């Protein structure tokens, strides 16, 4: 017989009767891990008490022994759990970790966000109704926090942390920097200093290259440097090379340009 100790996801004192296969599981996630199909939590109608083993309709308190199946219970999601200040969001259609007063539902993003982000985030239509671009797992109903980036796209927090740990700083969907403006300014200043202290070899001095900025989408011709090419519009180093090098060469006293060929566009590390 399964117990709450068998479930790593929730703390409860009942088993859910899966409407798809009539098997008893502590939660839908435990069910999905064992079966070759998924449980629809919204269709659950019956639960079994872990104390007296009475099968009954889904409710918060056992009709026989009066044990509470969960400190928190949602009659829509059939979610039983210890009190984590949960609340059910009608527009999201699922329960969220609260407290409720600390969150608001953005109608455009179709997602609950912290009140500190009201008017301070970039909206993307139905952004939560897509999979994480890193782990490809669902984000809308995931138990892992989803973090909005400056571009408006979402990533699971664990995926974003892993991306930072590996040195990545670009949204995998739009290539915009994921860094805050404060951090971006600091890294730009550090890159400026590194480039100033690392002059290019004589044959590449004065070389330029066409770039496209992943942050502001501006295009232009900028000085070439192996450490990075700086956008002439916003100052970011999050640029992609858009063509070959244009070398300034001297023939007698006359300077002329020679565009070199490249096999592929080179993406520069964002800042």
């Amino acid at each position: 017989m399964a117990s709450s100790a068998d479930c790593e996801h929730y703390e409860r004192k009942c088993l859910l009767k899966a409407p798809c296969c009539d098997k008893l599981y502590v939660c839908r996630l435990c069910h999905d891990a064992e079966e070759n199909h998924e449980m629809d939590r919204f269709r659950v109608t019956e639960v079994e008490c872990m104390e007296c083993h009475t099968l009954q309709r889904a409710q918060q308190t056992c009709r026989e022994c009066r044990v509470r199946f969960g400190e928190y219970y949602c009659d829509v999601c059939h979610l039983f759990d210890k009190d984590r200040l949960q609340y059910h969001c009608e527009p999201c259609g699922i329960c969220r970790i609260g407290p409720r007063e600390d969150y608001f539902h953005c109608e455009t993003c179709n997602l609950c966000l912290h009140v500190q982000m009201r008017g301070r985030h970039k909206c993307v239509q139905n952004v939560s109704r897509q999979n994480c671009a890193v782990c490809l797992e669902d984000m809308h109903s995931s138990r892992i926090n989803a973090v909005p980036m400056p571009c408006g796209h979402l990533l699971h927090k664990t995926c974003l942390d892993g991306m930072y740990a590996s040195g990545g700083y670009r949204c995998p969907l739009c290539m915009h920097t994921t860094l805050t403006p404060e951090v971006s300014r600091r890294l730009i200043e550090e890159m400026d200093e590194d480039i100033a202290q690392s002059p290019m070899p004589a044959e590449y001095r004065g070389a330029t290259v066409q770039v496209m900025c992943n942050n502001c989408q501006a295009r232009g011709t900028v000085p070439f440097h192996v450490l990075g090419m700086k956008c002439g519009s916003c100052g970011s180093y999050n640029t992609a090379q858009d063509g070959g090098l244009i070398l300034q060469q001297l023939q007698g006293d006359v300077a002329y340009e020679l565009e070199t060929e490249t096999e592929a566009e080179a993406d520069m590390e964002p800042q």
Side-chain angles (χ1 to χ4, degrees):
M1 175 62 66
S3 69
S4 59
D6 299 325
C7 177
E8 62 178 301
H9 310 106
Y10 303 102
E11 293 186 23
R12 56 183 58 163
K13 294 183 179 180
C14 67
L15 302 174
L16 308 181
K17 184 178 180 181
C20 44
C21 57
D22 290 335
K23 296 180 182 179
L24 295 170
Y25 282 93
V26 182
C27 79
R28 66 179 180 89
L29 299 173
C30 292
H31 168 278
D32 295 351
E34 292 292 328
E35 305 294 338
N36 61 0
H37 58 275
E38 295 182 354
M39 179 196 295
D40 184 348
R41 75 185 95 175
F42 305 105
R43 292 181 54 227
V44 171
T45 58
E46 294 181 295
V47 297
E48 182 181 287
C49 177
M50 290 183 181
E51 297 293 329
C52 67
H53 311 303
T54 300
L55 185 66
Q56 57 200 282
R57 71 177 179 84
Q59 55 194 333
Q60 188 169 19
T61 303
C62 177
R63 74 181 187 198
E64 296 295 330
C65 66
R66 309 309 298 172
V67 68
R68 294 186 74 189
F69 296 144
E71 296 174 344
Y72 173 83
Y73 171 60
C74 174
D75 197 37
V76 177
C77 299
H78 304 299
L79 172 64
F80 303 84
D81 199 10
K82 71 177 183 180
D83 185 10
R84 307 175 195 266
L85 302 178
Q86 299 96 322
Y87 67 96
H88 182 83
C89 175
E90 288 292 343
C92 282
I94 58 176
C95 292
R96 300 291 192 189
I97 300 294
R100 181 190 292 270
E101 58 269 21
D102 285 355
Y103 292 85
F104 75 100
H105 185 86
C106 176
E107 297 295 336
T108 303
C109 296
N110 205 359
L111 176 71
C112 283
L113 298 170
H114 198 274
V115 292
Q116 293 180 348
M117 300 193 69
R118 191 189 298 272
R120 302 176 59 186
H121 71 285
K122 182 177 180 180
C123 289
V124 175
Q125 191 74 36
N126 288 326
V127 67
S128 72
R129 301 309 202 269
Q130 56 185 289
N131 293 341
C132 174
V134 175
C135 67
L136 304 182
E137 300 274 334
D138 172 65
M139 286 190 293
H140 180 67
S141 60
S142 175
R143 298 179 73 247
I144 304 173
N145 288 338
V147 181
M149 295 178 288
C151 58
H153 293 119
L154 298 177
L155 286 183
H156 281 132
K157 185 178 186 305
T158 51
C159 293
L160 185 60
D161 290 344
M163 190 171 71
Y164 284 159
S166 63
Y169 296 97
R170 288 187 297 192
C171 170
L173 293 174
C174 67
M175 308 305 285
H176 194 283
T177 182
T178 61
L179 302 173
T180 64
E182 295 77 14
V183 174
S184 291
R185 281 194 296 268
R186 177 172 56 81
L187 293 183
I188 287 173
E189 291 172 358
E190 292 177 0
M191 180 68 83
D192 287 343
E193 185 176 347
D194 288 343
I195 288 178
Q197 296 177 358
S198 306
M200 292 292 291
E203 60 268 30
Y204 289 102
R205 290 177 191 171
T208 58
V209 66
Q210 291 264 346
V211 298
M212 182 193 75
C213 180
N214 291 315
N215 284 356
C216 69
Q217 282 72 59
R219 294 176 181 269
T221 302
V222 301
F224 170 76
H225 199 285
V226 291
L227 295 181
M229 271 80 80
K230 186 173 185 175
C231 172
S233 179
C234 70
S236 167
Y237 282 94
N238 184 15
T239 58
Q241 187 172 323
D242 187 22
L245 298 185
I246 302 173
L247 301 178
Q248 296 288 336
Q249 296 190 355
L250 290 176
Q251 188 175 46
D253 294 329
V254 180
Y256 69 97
E257 294 183 347
L258 173 66
E259 184 171 353
T260 63
E261 294 183 355
T262 57
E263 294 182 357
E265 293 183 355
D267 286 342
M268 307 308 299
E269 184 62 28
Q271 300 294 341

